[in-house]
Amino acid sequence: MTGNAELILDGKSLSLPTVTGSEGEVGIDISSLRAKTGAITLDPAYGNTGSCYSDITFIDGEKGILRYRGYDIADLAEKSTFVETSFLLIYGHLPNAEELQTFSNLLTENQMLHESMRFNFQGFPASAHPMAILSAMINAASSYYPNLICTVNRRERFPNHAARLISQVRTIAAYSYRVSHGLPTIFPKSSLHYTENFLHMMFSNPGEDYELKPEIVRALDMIFILHADHEQNCSTSTVRMVASSQANLYASASAGVCALWGPLHGGANQAVLEMLEQIHQDGDDGTKFLKAVKDKTSNRRLMGFGHRVYKNFDPRALIIKAQCDKVLAQLHRSDPLLEIAKKLEEIALNDDYFISRKLYPNVDFYSGIIMRAIGIPVDMFTVMFAIGRMPGWIANFKEVMENPDSRISRPRQIYTGETLRSYRPMAERA
Ligand code: ACO
């Protein structure tokens, strides 16, 4: 459906076309605005700006809907695997048995890092954050494929590079953990599935294989599925922005890792755990902490709460919360941090500060408690998010590359600095 919007600027009327997405979302197409009027739109932090058309993921933040390629997230979390979901996101349909086998084979064939990359790992100080290692190593991986300069004209190679990146992000992540803890690196095993292999590379030791418990493998696989895509967020839009310059897949994904790192985005899962640990150490049940959060001068936020798009609930948070209880019960564990998290949620959901601002738990609020129960260190939490998000970034990269109308992304600005002034020699300056 298309229509028109009327804009009146300085008394002159301009008709702008509207576009409607397949779920009824309406956008006003302002692409001719500057050429026709000289004016631009101003939308800091892009809260109202659609930067692209996309067929990949649909979110309705008011209703708490999240769908990958039309499939509901709860359906996928319950019935799919991360590898199958990755195929779905990148290629647009659920794979048949042969397609899934081919994709899995490609993941296995590409799981080993180039031998020389060992030296890159050794160059990082012991204090390096695993996200710094991850972004650097993904970018470094591109240097082993010199003909990769631009993927646009090399579509036939895309499936290999996509599989290599999904497979190697997991290998790099596990190696960065092993190296930063002074442990020997463990090779992946071809006989293991994707998430099993990650746990094996993280926790096995020479001569002593990590015991793979199906409930832990399933919980982690589900965490990866829940993180696999989320339409135009900070990191995915960064990937698309970098891809729009026709930079290669690895460079674009590496930029995504950097954007994800911040505590307002993927880094929130680490921040949540650190917040819960602090509350626990202070002997608080969350009540004092929430009082401080509501006092704006404290500059504190309830990490893992709030979302730019979800204004009712985050469907991923509901699934993860239920999974959290399940995993701890299966492992016969209790965690005081889970009790604090539940208390924080209960108080916040009944408190006018949070109700009036429509602040609800997001995906990061409970995921850290599951990862902690599995034994994943806190500074690896955001890396886990990056492993999960990789197929979404790749799908978005592919969409940019395959769009014949794609142009380099280049926003405008409203300049608020000094107007023209003359250069004065040093002696004349006050
Ligand atoms: N705790 C306390 N107050 C909050 C929180 C929070 N977690 N989040 C938002 N607010 C308040 C703001 O102070 C602001 O209040 P005001 O209107 O009185 O000034 C209001 O709610 C709106 O907040 P904004 O920052 O304008 O919301 P925005 O959409 O820009 O930010 C964000 C969304 C970054 C997620 C924010 O809610 C936040 O910082 N949350 C904590 C960090 C977090 O969990 N990030 C992960 C997000 S999910 C993801 O990226 C995977």
Side-chain angles (χ1 to χ4, degrees), residues 263-266 268 293 296 300-308 311 316 353-354 357 359 362-364 385:
L264 297 191
H265 191 15
V293 166
K296 291 277 181 183
R300 305 193 83 163
R301 284 200 165 193
L302 176 55
M303 300 311 286
F305 253 67
H307 199 275
R308 173 64 60 78
K311 297 298 173 199
R316 302 167 301 173
Y353 175 95
F354 296 92
R357 291 171 177 79
L359 301 171
N362 59 49
V363 67
D364 293 316
F385 193 148

Side-chain angles (χ1 to χ4, degrees), residues 22-23 53-59 65-76 80 84-95 158 225 228-232 236 240 390-402:
S22 53
E23 290 284 353
Y53 290 97
S54 181
D55 296 346
I56 304 168
T57 289
F58 172 69
I59 297 177
I65 292 174
L66 168 61
R67 293 184 201 137
Y68 299 161
R69 301 282 188 182
Y71 294 97
D72 188 72
I73 190 63
D75 220 11
L76 291 170
S80 185
E84 186 184 61
T85 297
S86 300
F87 183 100
L88 169 71
L89 282 166
I90 296 170
Y91 297 106
H93 63 275
L94 282 171
F158 176 81
I225 294 174
D229 196 45
H230 213 235
E231 57 121 290
Q232 298 314 307
T236 302
R240 288 187 82 113
M390 192 53 76
W393 289 336
I394 294 172
N396 276 273
F397 174 92
K398 183 166 179 273
E399 206 169 62
V400 172
M401 290 299 173
E402 289 181 351

Side-chain angles (χ1 to χ4, degrees), residues 386-416:
I387 298 175
R389 185 54 57 87
M390 192 53 76
W393 289 336
I394 294 172
N396 276 273
F397 174 92
K398 183 166 179 273
E399 206 169 62
V400 172
M401 290 299 173
E402 289 181 351
N403 177 4
D405 299 325
S406 181
R407 298 169 73 202
I408 187 164
S409 295
R410 205 305 186 181
R412 294 264 173 181
Q413 63 170 19
I414 299 290
Y415 175 68
T416 54

